[in-house]
Amino acid sequence: MHANPGKRLTFYGVACLFLLLSTAVRAAAPTQLPGPDYDDPLAVAYDCLASLAPDTGEPATQLAHARADGDRLAVLRKQDDHGHSGWGYVERLTEKASKCHAAGSLDAFSDGSCNPPETPYMIQTGYAVACLAQLSIATKDPQFLNLAGKAIADSWNSGTTVPGCKNCFYYWYSYHQNDKNRYVRNTNLIMGLGVAWMYAATGDAKYRERALAIAQAEDREIRAGNYGYFGIDDPRYLANPRFEAERIENHLPHQVKALKDIGILLVNRQAIANSQVILDAFLNCNNQRCRPDNCKAWAAPVSCAATATIAPCILADRGEPYQSRCAKVVANVKRLNAFQIFLGYSTSEVGKLQPAQSSAR
């Protein structure tokens, strides 16, 4: 039989694209720990995840770099007043941020309730756990898995099932009671990414079930026609559903990446398919919020040259239109930052890190 020339072209197109992306990544590969944001656990987690991505430099050097990031995350870990550990939000006590009167204190939803500085947040915790779980696989060092496992255990009940979907789960925005009953989609999926990597590192079925429940919650949002920041059960969405459903912004690439990796790690086709639905909504948005001159909120156009502009590279291996759009982005980016490297490369895809043998039957 003769090979299908269309498929061959697609294969070589992907190979060339990833060669281009690899070149950009190598030029941008982390060579030192983050400077100004070294006390920001989110910056350190991004740096770790980028260092663990394939083709970012000499493997031993990059692994040592990621290990240093993991050690730093251990130092930056916070505990709330219940003794629950995770990673927190970093905000300087600037004039703009001074309404909570303490550095690191945050009024997450501008409702007048200030979370104390020691509050762990799900975005920071989810990405930190993803880094630490991957490190535990790559280094076989149990300290990283123990650190991640403690944070997941401590945050396990900081969320809920949702009405009408017994197989769905939503994490709150933070561990604090101020953020209870708030449904933020990218926050939930970022925790799902961390939990999925815990499953990859341990094979423990409870992590698989939780990650699938998070992916199912996102599927419910998509089926409801919601492409916004808040979930359909959130008070902000309920107050103005038509507006919130079309609130397509730069949070979406987080969701695309999380869904894709959850789908790969858990062998779940629906999560992978939903990653494409979300990316299409981001790239093809034409509502009033999605304008080429509104890059701070929506950075899909190549001209934006913002972090989120790299989004099509997440699914470049799925073919067009993502391949060509990714190539245009990479050709116009002088230096990829750590988060862009993490988005463009997935260790779950290339087999650099292999999931543990599943304990599920």
Side-chain angles (χ1 to χ4, degrees):
M1 294 178 64
H2 296 288
N4 184 315
K7 289 187 177 181
R8 180 183 296 175
L9 180 63
T10 299
F11 172 80
Y12 286 117
V14 172
C16 291
L17 177 61
F18 277 99
L19 178 61
L20 179 64
L21 188 57
S22 176
T23 300
V25 167
R26 284 181 179 275
T31 56
Q32 60 182 4
L33 294 170
D37 293 322
Y38 194 33
D39 62 343
D40 184 346
L42 190 57
V44 177
Y46 288 163
D47 192 70
C48 170
L49 291 164
S51 297
L52 288 167
D55 298 324
T56 57
E58 202 282 318
T61 300
Q62 292 307 114
L63 184 58
H65 186 96
R67 179 186 279 273
D69 285 325
D71 291 339
R72 184 59 181 164
L73 285 173
V75 174
L76 294 174
R77 184 176 59 157
K78 291 187 175 184
Q79 284 193 333
D80 65 14
D81 56 3
H82 298 289
H84 295 158
S85 65
W87 286 269
Y89 182 82
V90 173
E91 183 174 59
R92 308 294 185 271
L93 192 56
T94 61
E95 181 178 353
K96 182 178 179 181
S98 63
K99 63 180 179 179
C100 288
H101 309 295
S105 182
L106 179 67
D107 179 2
F109 297 100
S110 299
D111 59 4
S113 61
C114 291
N115 298 343
E118 65 272 14
T119 302
Y121 289 83
M122 300 308 177
I123 291 176
Q124 286 77 5
T125 298
Y127 279 130
V129 166
C131 154
L132 293 166
Q134 289 186 31
L135 268 174
S136 75
I137 298 171
T139 66
K140 305 296 192 292
D141 190 333
Q143 70 166 323
F144 297 122
L145 189 61
N146 292 339
L147 193 62
K150 178 69 164 60
I152 290 297
D154 288 350
S155 60
W156 195 255
N157 294 320
S158 295
T160 185
T161 56
V162 293
C165 186
K166 65 178 182 180
N167 295 321
C168 296
F169 189 85
Y170 246 104
Y171 278 97
W172 308 137
Y173 191 77
S174 77
Y175 292 25
H176 201 276
Q177 288 294 306
N178 286 340
D179 300 330
K180 188 175 181 180
N181 296 321
R182 300 309 303 260
Y183 300 82
V184 179
R185 297 170 66 183
N186 69 332
T187 300
N188 193 40
L189 278 168
I190 290 165
M191 280 297 288
L193 178 71
V195 174
W197 274 107
M198 285 297 293
Y199 169 67
T202 66
D204 191 328
K206 70 183 179 186
Y207 297 132
R208 184 177 189 276
E209 292 169 4
R210 174 57 61 85
L212 286 175
I214 291 169
Q216 183 63 33
E218 183 64 11
D219 183 68
R220 176 173 175 262
E221 300 288 350
I222 292 171
R223 292 179 185 276
N226 181 21
Y227 295 96
Y229 179 72
F230 295 104
I232 58 176
D233 299 295
D234 191 88
R236 189 77 63 86
Y237 181 94
L238 293 172
N240 193 354
R242 184 173 180 178
F243 171 82
E244 293 297 343
E246 293 187 351
R247 190 174 168 181
I248 294 174
E249 298 173 337
N250 292 331
H251 55 272
L252 289 181
H254 294 263
Q255 295 166 230
V256 176
K257 174 63 172 174
L259 281 168
K260 182 180 182 183
D261 277 19
I262 289 170
I264 291 169
L265 291 168
L266 278 55
V267 194
N268 185 270
R269 292 182 180 179
Q270 188 62 61
I272 296 174
N274 282 342
S275 72
Q276 185 169 333
V277 172
I278 293 295
L279 183 56
D280 288 347
F282 179 69
L283 296 178
N284 302 320
C285 179
N286 60 5
N287 68 40
Q288 62 180 352
R289 299 181 65 82
C290 302
R291 305 187 311 272
D293 61 346
N294 193 28
C295 297
K296 186 175 181 180
W298 179 68
V302 175
S303 60
C304 283
T307 296
T309 311
I310 202 77
C313 295
I314 305 171
L315 298 185
D317 60 329
R318 315 303 285 186
E320 293 296 347
Y322 316 115
Q323 280 185 35
S324 56
R325 292 194 68 156
C326 176
K328 289 179 182 178
V329 172
V330 175
N332 283 277
V333 175
K334 293 181 180 179
R335 183 177 179 83
L336 300 177
N337 62 37
F339 187 62
Q340 288 173 316
I341 295 171
F342 163 63
L343 288 181
Y345 275 91
S346 173
T347 46
S348 62
E349 294 167 49
V350 299
K352 180 181 178 183
L353 303 178
Q354 293 294 335
Q357 183 64 39
S358 173
S359 62
R361 293 291 183 265

